[in-house]
Amino acid sequence: MKAVICVRHGPPDALEIQDLPDPVPGLGEVVVEVSAIGLNFFDTLIIRDLYQVKPTLPFSPGAEFAGHVAALGEGVTGFAVGERVCGYVTHGAAREKVVVEARFLARVPDDLDLVKAAGLIVTYGTSLYALRERGNLKAGESLAVLGASGGVGLAAVEIGRIMGARILACASSAEKVAFAKAHGADEGFDYAQGDLKGALKAFGGPKGLDVVYDPVGGDMAEQALRALGSLGRFLVVGFAAGEIPKIPLNLLLLKNCDARGVAFGTVARSDPAWLAGVVAELMEHARTGRISAHVDKTFPLERCVDALGEIAGRRVKGKVVLTTGR
């Protein structure tokens, strides 16, 4: 089988395509013939050794995939060879066959495209966990989403819409803002307009914003935090801007608000039963059209370098997915 391999830490063009032996499932494991692999921003970091998860070299990037069951290990029940499945791993999915513990797999409905299924778990799972379990978002509350056209940002817009929030989508161009509004945001703000804090305060009204969803970080984070109202929740999702902001803690005291970390991967790895419930919920949303599971671009597995370059260059609206032709 072919696999994308990180043999040394570095930029995407340091990755190699190698031929590896087909995997054999062990106790409780399943081999999946992979059709599609969802890529995320953290894949551009993990290959540079800049991510909190630090796999031993060599490894494959890619944390989510979809395909068909190829082989079952001893003790596996509930799956059959040939079934359509998707799965979550922290890394290692960018290859034609993946071996994974059965408890991290979920069935994909026949009426849901495998390419869409491959891009659902991380972005929509993160946003659902962030808004419902960490942000306690309620219907009618105000939600500002930074980076609203990217993978997790778009997912936050669509999940926020399902939850009944009023949504302000913030993005780096008028085109990206329009894209987010077309997917459910009520209003939009283009960073080029300048006064982010002013726009957030205006959207929040006299009481201030209820929730900020921030996968961007950098100098935008403090501006967004300052727009929160009393009992507001600032959700720390990631740092796509590259800079980890240093927030003055006195703001939390003065504004009587919270800053809350969102570590979807930590919860997913530690509680597979919880993950299974989340994935099933997202699959139902996708197949009924409540979320778009929008895939902006697909690339063959051999062009993983180009796919990661699109993500790193912030040229993506929604997801980028690798395909294997299987």
Side-chain angles (χ1 to χ4, degrees), residues 170-192:
C170 305
S172 59
S173 72
E175 178 188 8
K176 290 180 178 180
V177 167
F179 176 77
K181 289 178 69 175
H183 284 77
D186 298 283
E187 297 183 25
F189 177 77
D190 177 357
Y191 301 137

Side-chain angles (χ1 to χ4, degrees), residues 4-10 14-16 46-47 57-61:
V4 178
I5 301 294
C6 179
V7 295
R8 64 185 185 281
H9 294 121
L15 295 170
E16 297 181 3
I46 199 169
I47 61 174
L57 293 170
F59 68 91
S60 294

Side-chain angles (χ1 to χ4, degrees), residues 99-163:
V99 61
V100 60
E101 291 182 58
R103 59 187 183 149
F104 290 105
L105 287 177
R107 289 181 185 80
V108 177
D110 289 340
D111 56 354
L112 181 61
D113 181 70
L114 287 176
V115 171
K116 286 184 176 290
L120 269 178
I121 297 175
V122 172
T123 51
Y124 285 92
T126 295
S127 295
L128 184 62
Y129 174 61
L131 296 178
R132 185 166 67 192
E133 300 187 38
R134 299 295 289 143
N136 305 118
L137 182 67
K138 302 174 184 65
E141 287 192 318
S142 56
L143 166 66
V145 179
L146 308 187
S149 69
V152 290
L154 179 66
V157 168
E158 295 189 342
I159 295 294
R161 179 192 60 199
I162 291 171
M163 297 177 70

Side-chain angles (χ1 to χ4, degrees), residues 3-52:
V4 178
I5 301 294
C6 179
V7 295
R8 64 185 185 281
H9 294 121
D13 59 13
L15 295 170
E16 297 181 3
I17 304 294
Q18 295 185 3
D19 286 311
L20 301 178
D22 285 352
V24 176
L27 179 67
E29 293 181 333
V30 175
V31 172
V32 177
E33 187 168 49
V34 176
S35 298
I37 304 106
L39 295 179
N40 297 278
F41 179 75
F42 62 73
D43 288 308
T44 70
L45 302 178
I46 199 169
I47 61 174
R48 296 174 182 263
D49 200 28
L50 297 176
Y51 193 54
Q52 58 261 34

Side-chain angles (χ1 to χ4, degrees), residues 12 39 44 299 303-316:
L39 295 179
T44 70
F299 291 85
R303 291 184 58 198
C304 183
V305 170
D306 297 328
L308 291 174
E310 290 296 295
I311 296 172
R314 302 177 75 173
R315 294 185 290 272
V316 176

Side-chain angles (χ1 to χ4, degrees), residues 183-266:
H183 284 77
D186 298 283
E187 297 183 25
F189 177 77
D190 177 357
Y191 301 137
Q193 295 173 346
D195 186 10
L196 173 62
K197 184 176 75 172
L200 296 174
K201 281 182 171 288
F203 186 76
K207 69 184 288 287
L209 283 170
D210 294 304
V211 177
V212 169
Y213 181 100
D214 182 14
V216 179
D219 60 5
M220 296 179 189
E222 185 174 332
Q223 297 180 63
L225 180 61
R226 288 181 180 274
L228 278 177
S230 179
L231 302 182
R233 290 84 76 197
F234 182 90
L235 302 178
V236 182
V237 181
F239 310 104
E243 178 188 346
I244 298 176
K246 296 177 174 59
I247 300 295
L249 286 179
N250 67 312
L251 289 177
L252 304 183
L253 172 63
L254 295 173
K255 299 187 72 62
N256 197 36
C257 65
D258 297 343
R260 303 179 183 181
V262 177
F264 167 78
T266 299

